Amino acid sequence: MKITLKDGSVKEYEGSRSVLDIAKDISEGLARAATSAKVNGDIVDLRREISEDCELELLTFDSDEGKGAFWHTTSHIMAQAVKRLYPETKLAIGPSIDNGFYYDLDRETPFVAEDLEKIEAEMKKIVKEDLSIERFTKSREDAIAYFKENGEPYKVELVEDLPEGEEISFYRQGEFVDLCAGPHLMSTKNVKAVKLTSLAGAYWRGSEKNKMLTRIYGISYPKKAELEEYLNRLEEAKKRDHRKLGRELGLFMMCDEGPGFPFFLPKGMVLKNTLMEYWRELHKRNGYVEISTPIILSRHLWENSGHWDHYKDNMYTTVIDEEDYAVKPMNCPGGMLVYKSEPRSYKDLPLRAGEIGLVHRHEKSGALHGLFRVRCFNQDDAHIFMMPEQIRDEIKGVARLIDEVYSLFGFKYHVELSTRPEDSMGSDEDWEMATEGLRGALDDLGLDYVVNEGDGAFYGPKIDIQAKNVYGKEDTMITIQLDCAIAENFDMYYIDQNGDKVRPYIIHRTSMGCYERTLAWLIEKYAGKFPTWLCPEQVRILPISDKYEAYAGEVLKELKANGIDATMDNRSEKIGFKIREARLDKLPYMLVVGQQEEADHTVSVRSRFAGDEGVKPLAQFIEDICREIRTKEIRKEVPQEENK
């Protein structure tokens, strides 16, 4: 048989071989490092036997899939440790996730933080035992009987939901056996470093109607040094947590009276409005018009758009004049009505219309997380109505606009293309044209992208812009969707060169996405130290004593007259105290004024970037900071010890 490796080389063998044997034949070092493999694109164990020609890729911890096998194995080690220490515990599910693993557990006495240390210690014992991990299968009936006999009701339910006649795989390590599709490591010994990080509540199968279980999260690595590096990053990330900084900097708050509905405080509103002003400037420059559509619209509209059937569980509804209405979860259908408000010609296209709309979505309480996951938010949707031959150029224009935004904020991102799902609207021809339009635009721009088969929206394929947050977790920040169906549903058309009615193609897209989520990202990226153009308080004036408040007031007036967000600290405190507080508030600039500054109409400049910048004429400082704000310059900071 012929085995084609990732680099294109071919290995030939007589008879069947395990993936591990092939790995050893290639390199003993690679075999030791491998956690799993891809055989013809399917992720499998190293113990998988190969008996025919195939494409083989060996996966190590350096790849996402390789990490998945490593962390999935660690979740089983954790469950085994729990069963040894607390045998009455019932097991639910224990997958790998983006950053480690978790296991959902049911115990009459819920787990507490103090239990994690004991479980972790037992896990380390299991690792040292070097338990061989074995895969075996049972029939559906035997699997149900096995878990009933062992008192595992959640496993019984999982097996009962599997199709009749399906062979069900199990993994055994020592005395521990678990239901699992794999893949897993060959032995427990490879998990050299592990840390259980947190506890949380989780409803069984994500439904609030089911029992609340305890979810234990953890992380593991092949080397202790890698774990220590990760934990250090985690500590730094906690310092940047937008919920913590949001409170400390007075940006936003959450209240029990409105879970998932953020309250923006004055400084937070300055920050939010600055982003919106940038959005407006950017879109005007790129040929967009701005619109605004109502928050509440009739059920008929949402049926037309398909949201009533596909998204109703996430929508808030109400009754007005004995008719059903819904609070909009997205801006798109309102934008369609704007397009239909007057006749359109091919000469009007492409028509680019943008909206910063307030939308509401019903998120489960367990999913809420600061500004990252909320129930109401501002979404900067835009819609481009166009002819088929304009698709590729318009997609490229959108990609360039988004790249400008991401480059400004310093976000590193990658691109994913999602294709037609099973539950979709529209014809095969429309889907083919739309998908190839997106693919062609990405190819023209020379962008690398991953294809997610079947992960598109129900009305069209999409491009997702993915980026990692400070915790290393990947989120979708921007979505570009090409709609194949909604023009038909809304009877939208334009008059072409021949006088015929033709359906437009429609791009749905954002550039900053959910403003609340973008703000959370920016707070954490900058650790609250925003660039001057974005900062809600750009300058604080610090009079040395109350004798110089009058001059400080003149400085404040001139700064505000030039559009600079400035305040004055006129408290009866020592100047050193005022400077320290301004630093804690992460301000870009402090202007100290006293007798000499008043006499010379100057200011003594201290900055977050270079510490003491010396004395400058007030007019010169205003010119410098206005240029910094106008150009959106990102000044680099000196190390803290130098910032005296």
Side-chain angles (χ1 to χ4, degrees), residues 12 25 72 95 121 159 162 199 202 367 376 386 390 397 478 511 539 552 571 591 595 612:
E12 294 191 29
D25 184 51
H72 200 169
V159 176
L162 295 174
L199 290 164
C376 81
M386 65 206 155
Q390 296 170 326
I478 303 294
S511 56
V539 180
R571 294 175 297 168
L591 302 183
Q595 182 179 6
D612 188 349

Side-chain angles (χ1 to χ4, degrees), residues 303-513:
E303 287 176 333
N304 234 5
S305 68
H307 289 95
W308 195 266
D309 293 330
H310 293 268
Y311 204 73
K312 187 174 181 293
D313 289 345
N314 294 90
M315 296 166 68
Y316 295 111
T317 59
T318 187
V319 176
I320 302 174
D321 296 334
E322 300 181 356
E323 291 187 18
D324 290 331
Y325 282 74
V327 181
K328 67 177 179 181
M330 49 197 68
N331 299 305
C332 310
M336 304 307 107
L337 296 184
V338 170
Y339 178 89
K340 284 191 65 178
S341 64
E342 60 181 274
R344 307 289 178 180
S345 158
Y346 72 95
K347 294 181 179 180
D348 300 323
L349 305 183
L351 173 62
R352 308 181 188 105
E355 173 177 15
I356 302 175
L358 181 64
V359 301
H360 292 72
R361 298 180 186 177
H362 177 59
E363 300 284 359
K364 293 177 180 178
S365 58
L368 300 175
H369 177 71
L371 295 180
F372 277 121
R373 186 62 67 90
V374 289
R375 287 172 169 161
C376 81
F377 53 92
N378 288 98
Q379 179 93 351
D380 73 324
D381 279 311
H383 298 95
I384 303 174
F385 305 90
M386 65 206 155
M387 297 181 284
E389 59 268 29
Q390 296 170 326
I391 290 174
R392 196 175 280 207
D393 284 342
E394 289 303 310
I395 290 290
K396 288 192 285 187
V398 169
R400 291 189 189 102
L401 184 148
I402 289 171
D403 185 68
E404 179 179 335
V405 174
Y406 270 53
S407 297
L408 174 64
F409 293 136
F411 287 144
K412 294 181 180 178
Y413 65 88
H414 74 269
V415 180
E416 297 185 358
L417 171 63
S418 298
T419 60
R420 186 177 189 174
E422 291 183 10
D423 182 18
S424 62
M425 301 164 60
S427 69
D428 293 344
E429 294 78 11
D430 283 343
W431 272 90
E432 179 67 21
M433 179 175 286
T435 303
E436 288 310 306
L438 295 187
R439 194 190 306 271
L442 293 175
D443 290 340
D444 286 350
L445 291 169
L447 292 174
D448 292 329
Y449 58 93
V450 174
V451 178
N452 293 328
E453 297 291 351
D455 201 34
F458 65 86
Y459 49 79
K462 63 177 181 173
I463 294 171
D464 286 325
I465 308 295
Q466 304 280 119
K468 288 184 178 179
N469 62 22
V470 294
Y471 295 95
K473 182 180 181 299
E474 194 166 86
D475 280 323
T476 300
M477 291 297 293
I478 303 294
T479 298
I480 307 167
Q481 295 172 330
L482 188 52
D483 200 318
C484 307
I486 204 166
E488 182 79 29
N489 292 359
F490 280 84
D491 191 26
M492 299 163 61
Y493 60 87
Y494 62 91
I495 304 301
D496 71 5
Q497 297 92 322
N498 301 317
D500 296 327
K501 290 183 177 181
V502 182
R503 303 289 184 204
Y505 279 80
I506 302 162
I507 294 173
H508 304 250
R509 69 112 184 106
T510 61
S511 56
M512 293 186 198

Side-chain angles (χ1 to χ4, degrees), residues 577-613:
F577 178 83
K578 293 181 181 182
I579 290 172
R580 283 193 298 275
E581 288 234 323
R583 282 180 177 167
L584 289 173
D585 288 342
K586 307 180 188 299
L587 302 184
Y589 293 98
M590 298 162 272
L591 302 183
V592 179
V593 296
Q595 182 179 6
Q596 194 63 50
E597 288 80 12
E598 182 178 37
D600 299 339
H601 204 67
T602 59
V603 288
S604 180
V605 182
R606 300 183 70 88
S607 77
R608 195 179 70 213
F609 316 105
D612 188 349
E613 296 194 14

